[in-house]
Amino acid sequence: MMRIGMLTSGGDCQALNATMRGVVKGLANNLDELEVYGFMNGYKGLIYGDYRMLTDHDFSGILTRGGTILGTSRQPFKLMREPDENGLDKVEAMKQNYYKLRLDCLVILGGNGTQKTANLLREEGLNIIHLPKTIDNDIYGTDMTFGFYSAVDIATNAIDCIHTTASSHNRVFIVEVMGHKVGWLTLYAGIASGADVILIPEIPYDISKIIDAINKRKMRGSGFTILAVAEGAIPKEIAALPKKEAKKKMAEIAKQFPSISYKIADDIFKETGMEIRVTVPGHMQRGGSPCAYDRILSTRIGSEAAKLILERQYGYMVALVNGKIKKIPLEDVAGKLKTVDPSCQEISDAKRIGISFGD
Ligand code: F6P
């Protein structure tokens, strides 16, 4: 008999269900006796013992279903060692629930914060497998996270839709793309949709360079410009400040504007007087059905996780490295962020065809 626990934690994304399906099918196909316990709403379910036993039926027909059948929540890593409002030791509570159910291992699907807690539980002696999900693609040690390409498709589609209206009205359009502190999603969606300017946190922008790009387009007869702006984009004069001061300045901007895109719009308007519109697709980017790429990636990651569990190999993240699914020790990756390298080929290729990065 094998007993596994499973939970999804942090912001959701499109291929969580597809991945869990891969794990459970990979186990059920190779074991006579299997019990799967699903913890509800992320680590909350593990802390407070909110779980249900899952059957084959739960994993049927969910390859294409977005969201997560287990629900999710954000439980910040930095608060894990702090007791809850009733004085409960969360880490101890998670361990007790794990042992009470006599689990062989716990499969944890989540992003960076989730991974740090997964590693903490590993250090505490639990058998852990971490599966890298996020639309941000910022998990160190894997070339790709599931959810990313589905979000790229949605953000690309949003910018495609903006294209026709932007050109009809000769306006500047800013489309703000998610991605938290990194620019992967904006970079990929920006290239895929033919954005004229792409602004990512890894390349702090110079507003005068953005205006140059708009004017250059005007001179060539294109009266409209589309900017794909990462939610974490940062002006170069602020990025040059010491971290604490930069944070303060960004907080001041956040008080004045709903997001960085509105500040950029304001700056462009003051300089050019052009009509500007800001579009924020927001959580749409995490919604809907996983794209074909993510379905394949998730199935492969889930299947490999099942293999590791059958071999009783624990303490790993299942990753995609150079096209191959591999196991990476959690301790080597937890707490690290995968950012876009400003000198990467994607960026030099994009610059060559005239896309401005505001630098
Ligand atoms: O990490 C995924 C993500 O969608 C980020 O791109 C975004 O910054 C954040 O989550 C939004 O978080 P929430 O859903 O808590 O508003």
Side-chain angles (χ1 to χ4, degrees), residues 310-348:
L310 290 166
E311 293 168 358
R312 296 181 193 275
Q313 295 198 60
Y314 305 119
Y316 295 103
M317 166 177 80
V318 181
L320 180 75
V321 183
N322 295 328
K324 296 261 184 285
I325 302 290
K326 296 211 161 135
K327 61 178 200 292
I328 310 280
L330 257 179
E331 64 201 280
D332 292 353
V333 291
K336 295 182 186 170
L337 193 69
K338 186 183 71 180
T339 56
V340 176
D341 174 0
S343 61
C344 70
Q345 223 181 25
E346 288 96 324
I347 292 182
S348 50

Side-chain angles (χ1 to χ4, degrees), residues 74 134-136 178-180 231 283 286:
R74 290 197 187 276
T134 166
I135 63 166
D136 303 336
M178 275 188 168
H180 202 217
E231 60 180 348
H283 287 77
R286 287 203 327 228

Side-chain angles (χ1 to χ4, degrees), residues 148-206:
F148 175 67
Y149 262 109
S150 303
V152 169
D153 281 354
I154 295 170
T156 300
N157 188 38
I159 303 173
D160 284 351
C161 291
I162 291 298
H163 238 112
T164 53
T165 176
S167 57
S168 314
H169 287 271
N170 285 334
R171 286 170 170 165
V172 172
F173 262 91
I174 296 178
V175 181
E176 184 172 288
V177 180
M178 275 188 168
H180 202 217
K181 293 180 182 158
V182 305
W184 293 106
L185 191 50
T186 310
L187 176 63
Y188 276 57
I191 293 174
S193 59
D196 308 299
V197 178
I198 296 175
L199 303 182
I200 61 173
E202 293 86 344
I203 306 180
Y205 68 83
D206 177 342

